[in-house]
Amino acid sequence: MRADGRGVADYWTRVNVTQHHAFASGQDSLDYFHWRNDQYYPYIDYLPVSGQDGKVVLDYGCGPGHDLVGFAVYSKPKRLIGVDVSSSSLAEATARLALHGAKTEMVLLDPAAATLPLETAFVDLVHCSGVIHHTPDPLQILRELRRVLKPDGSAQIMVYNYDSIWLHLFVGYSLQIVEGRYAGMDIRSAFARTTDGEECPISRVYKPSEFIALCREAGFEAECVGAAISMHEALIFPKRFEAIPDRNLPPESRKFLLSLEVDSRGLPTYQGRYAGLDGCYRLRVAV
């Protein structure tokens, strides 16, 4: 599978987060919206879709329209724009938004293009969830998002989180040690095969300090507001007691698992954040 822009576009035209599901009604669509958000706790608090009345909202890499539905239902944006490299996802997003009677502008991106077809300083909110870590040049994309963002605007971005149960327990222990998969791969390379299908051409993972540094290079001030934890991670969390005694577990992963604390819901935290897959960030244009 090609790891350039065309390869990424081809892959995400065949695959998307709703598995090309056709929604029967607006209620069906909204039920799915809430169900999927509940699988990543508390994603919707970190990347909210409310509070954008009268704003220009850009969903970069909107896929089949999941978060566009949220903005359309729980905000009243002045303009709601979804852009993606996948023609199939945009068609599905258009059909899904129509169920809600929402006016949304859909833009098919040329995967080889360096710029968005938007004016400079045009957007109030950039929303980008689970996209940048799948792209050939994340820095270029961040710089372009900065260009289209108003000086007083903001961006909310989710990228995969290194400090997670997914990486250290699911990949590093369950897959690589117990199942013997991805033998000889470093943990980041093995991780890339586990999140969105083994054929996904690009899937990066970032420590918060790494992604904040990348944002700074693109001209943003950034903070990690939290990491949403998947229910898959919550389910396998007890396996840490099997993993920690295993001498094959890398020391970094052992120390990570030993340092975890548990909140009142029984969910693991690491250094004050949930130890989840979805690292969530708030960005503002650096002055």
Side-chain angles (χ1 to χ4, degrees), residues 6-7 45 47 69 77 80 92 98 105 111 129 141 151 158 163 171 206 217 242 268 272 279:
R6 175 51 59 192
D45 295 334
L47 269 66
V69 167
L80 182 57
E92 291 167 25
E105 302 167 46
S129 180
I141 290 173
M158 185 277 277
D163 298 333
V171 176
Y206 295 93
E217 188 176 354
E242 299 176 14

Side-chain angles (χ1 to χ4, degrees), residues 10 13 25 31 33 38 54-55 69 80 99 124 131 136 147 165 168 201-202 211-212 215 225 249 254 274 285-286:
D10 290 345
T13 296
S25 66
D31 288 346
F33 172 82
D38 287 344
K55 303 290 184 64
V69 167
L80 182 57
L99 295 173
D124 294 292
V131 175
R147 181 188 70 80
I165 294 293
H168 291 287
I202 302 171
F211 191 67
I212 288 171
C215 292
V225 296
L249 187 72
R254 180 177 300 111
Y274 285 118
V285 174

